[in-house]
Amino acid sequence: MLKENLEQVKRNIEAACRRSGRNPEDITLVAVSKMKPLQDIETLLETGQLDYGENYVQELCDKYEHISSPVRWHMIGHLQTNKVKYIIDKVVLIHSVDSVHLAKQIEKEAAKRNLMAQILIQVNIAEEDTKFGIGEDEVFRMIHEISRFPHIHIKGLMTSAPFVENPEENRCYFKKLHELFVDIGRKNIDNVSMEILSMGMTNDYEIAIEEGATMVRVGTGIFGERHYNK
Ligand SMILES: *Cc1c(COP(=O)(O)O)cnc(C)c1O
């Protein structure tokens, strides 16, 4: 079942690429495994799926410790400064940086371990009250500040679009974030390279790809529904 789901998602990604004249090789699929057992990840690893997204530090660390072969872990959930130290050397990318304060802590922990932290700036592109991320108007200022940190490399932008019945409603937000992504890329800021545009979840990843996503984060579409109160 899991493997079939993954195959279906990949076919949908290819179809979205065909529709928009893009190369499927330019899209990274992050399988969002939060609240799903390690065994599910082990199953998908057999197919060569290497990128997995987690939201919770404790869960990520538990899985990291018990997995049988190496995985490319992505921190996609809201990250508290006091927990940076637990994940800094375990993840390939932190998608959810939304303050200079958090970046400062990432810089500190990365410097201690002499590594370069790869991060994305999380933008609340639809300006929803309930979502983490910074407003569009703050992005340039924040990127300039964070670009001064020597152990951080800003690789791109991330957003979570609103939950909508019809994913077409989110097309305008994806378009807007892509424009911002291109604008920032043109500025050629030191330590900043706009390579990764992380947008699109189960409901709307095909639209996100049509609008320029280079990374999609799909949970339910691969692993099935999550049960929060177990
Ligand atoms: C849970 C989550 C996802 C995956 O959501 P699905 O709708 O299950 O695909 C993607 N991104 C973030 C930030 C999430 O928290």
Side-chain angles (χ1 to χ4, degrees):
M1 205 38 196
L2 281 176
K3 288 181 180 172
E4 284 80 11
N5 290 348
L6 181 69
E7 278 313 308
Q8 185 59 52
V9 169
K10 284 189 184 165
R11 280 196 294 274
N12 294 343
I13 290 173
E14 280 165 22
C17 283
R18 271 197 300 278
R19 285 195 296 277
S20 49
R22 303 191 57 201
N23 184 348
E25 285 176 13
D26 296 337
I27 315 290
T28 303
L29 170 60
V30 176
V32 177
S33 44
K34 63 174 176 223
M35 314 199 63
K36 294 295 175 179
L38 197 57
Q39 206 186 332
D40 287 2
I41 301 177
E42 302 270 7
T43 300
L44 292 184
L45 276 172
E46 292 167 11
T47 71
Q49 171 65 34
L50 291 181
D51 292 87
Y52 295 86
E54 291 284 341
N55 285 57
Y56 311 105
V57 168
Q58 183 66 52
E59 187 176 349
L60 195 155
C61 292
D62 284 347
K63 286 175 174 166
Y64 180 92
E65 210 169 296
H66 294 103
I67 200 90
S68 62
S69 49
V71 155
R72 293 171 50 81
W73 295 108
H74 296 249
M75 179 64 199
I76 64 171
H78 183 64
L79 182 57
Q80 290 171 292
T81 50
N82 61 342
K83 300 214 168 138
V84 171
K85 58 178 178 281
Y86 300 118
I87 59 135
I88 187 79
D89 55 354
K90 299 186 176 67
V91 301
V92 294
L93 188 64
I94 302 172
H95 291 230
S96 43
V97 177
D98 62 354
S99 72
V100 176
H101 179 64
L102 174 59
K104 231 176 229 163
Q105 190 64 29
I106 293 172
E107 166 62 30
K108 195 172 138 196
E109 297 295 340
K112 261 192 219 167
R113 295 163 182 80
N114 198 23
L115 55 83
M116 273 300 268
Q118 314 286 319
I119 69 159
L120 305 179
I121 303 296
Q122 182 173 0
V123 185
N124 182 358
I125 197 74
E127 299 188 0
E128 293 176 282
D129 292 339
T130 53
K131 288 260 167 76
F132 291 108
I134 57 170
E136 198 185 344
D137 50 338
E138 299 170 76
V139 175
F140 274 101
R141 187 189 52 76
M142 191 173 294
I143 284 182
H144 272 290
E145 280 191 52
I146 296 176
S147 70
R148 298 201 192 101
F149 296 139
H151 297 88
I152 293 183
H153 191 173
I154 302 176
K155 302 280 280 186
L157 306 178
M158 176 270 210
T159 199
S160 294
F163 185 78
V164 288
E165 284 292 319
N166 179 359
E168 278 294 337
E169 291 173 43
N170 282 337
R171 189 181 290 278
C172 59
Y173 297 122
F174 295 142
K175 214 179 262 247
K176 222 162 125 181
L177 196 67
H178 181 253
E179 280 169 15
L180 192 59
F181 178 78
V182 171
D183 282 351
I184 296 167
R186 288 208 182 106
K187 304 263 188 225
N188 289 320
I189 308 163
D190 271 355
N191 252 344
V192 180
S193 54
M194 288 289 119
E195 295 169 42
I196 302 175
L197 185 54
S198 169
M199 60 184 191
M201 311 181 6
T202 296
N203 253 324
D204 52 21
Y205 64 94
E206 291 153 281
I207 309 273
I209 288 169
E210 289 174 20
E211 296 302 332
T214 70
M215 194 173 267
V216 293
R217 310 179 308 268
V218 180
T220 313
I222 296 172
F223 296 98
E225 295 285 335
R226 288 177 294 271
H227 301 287
Y228 281 91
N229 44 355
K230 42 180 178 182

